Each structure stands twice: as C-alpha cells, then as structure tokens.
Amino acid sequence: MNITVYGAASEDIKEEYKKDCEKLGEELAKRGNTLIFGGGKNGLMGAVARGTKKQNGEIIGIAPKFFKPDGVLYEECTDFIYTEDMRSRKAILCEKADAIIVLPGGIGTLDEFFEVFTLNSLAQINKPIAIFNSQGYYTNLEKMLMFMAEEGFMKKDVLKGLFVSDDIEEIFEFIEK
C-alpha cells in the first residue's frame, strides 16, 4: 500500500517527536508499505524516511524543483518526483496515496491535511486519513473539529472518516481495514 505522510520539515522540533515519527516509519516499512512523502531530509519528514529506510522500505519523495539546490531533500529515496510547484506536489502526494497519515506539523502540514480532509468529506477522494497524535500534538485540533461539528459548521458524519491516535499500531490497523 502507498501511504502518503505529511509532516513538519523544521529542525527546531523536540527529539520526542522525531523518535515517534522514526518508529512510525519503521512500522510502515515492516508492514510492507511504501512511504510517499514531501521529500525532506529534516524534521519529521526526515525522521519518518529514516525509519522507513532502517527497515529497507520503499521511499518515494515528491518535491518542487526549486527545493533541489537548497540541500533540504532526503537523498536515499527509492524514487524522486520533481514538480514545477507546490500545488503539483500536493496533487501528486494525494493521487499516489492509498491512505494518508498526518504527523505533527506547521501550516504546510495543516494545509495538506485540510485539503484531503475536505476532499474526503465531499466524496472527491476516498482515502483513510489518520492523524498521528504524537506527544498530544493534535489534541486541541481534535477538540476544535468536534466543536465545529457540534456548532453546526460541519456535519458530524465528516468526523467518522478521520482517525486520531498516538498509538502507531492503532493507526496501521485503522488504515489496513
């Protein structure tokens, strides 16, 4: 299965997050899945790639060409797809995914998450989406989404397509169903 993973590229992240995400990458590969990701070598993107590599998993990086000279790309990918821009990158990350895991991240990660979450809710795609709540990072977002549904800003059924957990085993069990 191809699993697209969205996550932070920042190096200013606590080591606990990196360790958790490296373990997730290891489990992804142990289960015979292919990692599809934004191609970064730093932050949680790099951590999940290193974990996948540690277990000899297949890794496909996708990044815009303008990232190439910056030295920010993970060089041990099985394959790398270069795009013209960020929009093309997001489209390919989504297209190639059988399932999606969202790691902790900043505005780029949230942008990617909300796009696929919206597309799922509008039945434009049908992909399981799991949020890895490493170190409780997404607890407040989960509460906010529930509040939005309670207040009528979205249907409660939309939340059924979303799985939030800090347990790596539970995340893969959800995706594999």
Side-chain angles (χ1 to χ4, degrees):
M1 177 183 320
N2 287 341
I3 300 178
T4 290
V5 177
Y6 301 129
S10 172
E11 273 299 290
D12 298 331
I13 296 169
K14 294 178 184 173
E15 285 302 312
E16 292 85 5
Y17 292 111
K18 292 177 188 175
K19 288 177 187 172
D20 288 349
C21 292
E22 191 167 320
K23 286 178 191 170
L24 187 135
E26 289 179 34
E27 188 62 26
L28 184 147
K30 282 181 191 175
R31 290 172 178 258
N33 300 302
T34 297
L35 170 65
I36 310 291
F37 81 126
K41 71 177 181 182
N42 298 319
L44 303 186
M45 272 200 276
V48 75
R50 286 188 299 278
T52 303
K53 181 72 175 172
K54 202 182 280 188
Q55 295 297 320
N56 298 311
E58 188 171 346
I59 303 168
I60 300 173
I62 303 170
K65 293 175 187 172
F66 67 83
F67 279 176
K68 244 183 181 179
D70 293 342
V72 297
L73 299 177
Y74 185 74
E75 295 178 0
E76 296 187 57
C77 293
T78 313
D79 191 16
F80 215 103
I81 299 168
Y82 291 99
T83 64
E84 292 301 319
D85 54 36
M86 294 296 278
R87 286 187 178 162
S88 302
R89 174 198 201 192
K90 283 179 18 178
I92 295 170
L93 283 165
C94 182
E95 287 166 14
K96 289 200 165 292
D98 297 311
I100 296 164
I101 299 175
V102 182
L103 308 177
I107 59 172
T109 302
L110 290 175
D111 173 53
E112 292 163 332
F113 161 65
F114 278 112
E115 182 171 323
V116 295
F117 184 49
T118 301
L119 290 171
N120 251 6
S121 73
L122 296 172
Q124 297 302 297
I125 62 171
N126 182 19
K127 300 173 191 258
I129 300 171
I131 294 179
F132 183 35
N133 195 22
S134 169
Q135 308 297 314
Y137 186 82
Y138 282 116
T139 299
N140 288 328
L141 177 63
E142 184 179 23
K143 288 178 188 174
M144 181 66 191
L145 292 171
M146 288 188 282
F147 177 72
M148 291 166 71
E150 289 165 5
E151 293 294 307
F153 287 92
M154 69 179 176
K155 298 201 180 309
K156 289 183 181 178
D157 285 355
V158 171
L159 295 175
K160 290 180 183 172
L162 189 61
F163 183 75
V164 181
S165 179
D166 64 354
D167 186 295
I168 293 170
E169 186 76 23
E170 284 181 3
I171 284 175
F172 285 102
E173 287 173 8
F174 168 76
I175 285 172
E176 291 166 355
K177 281 186 200 173

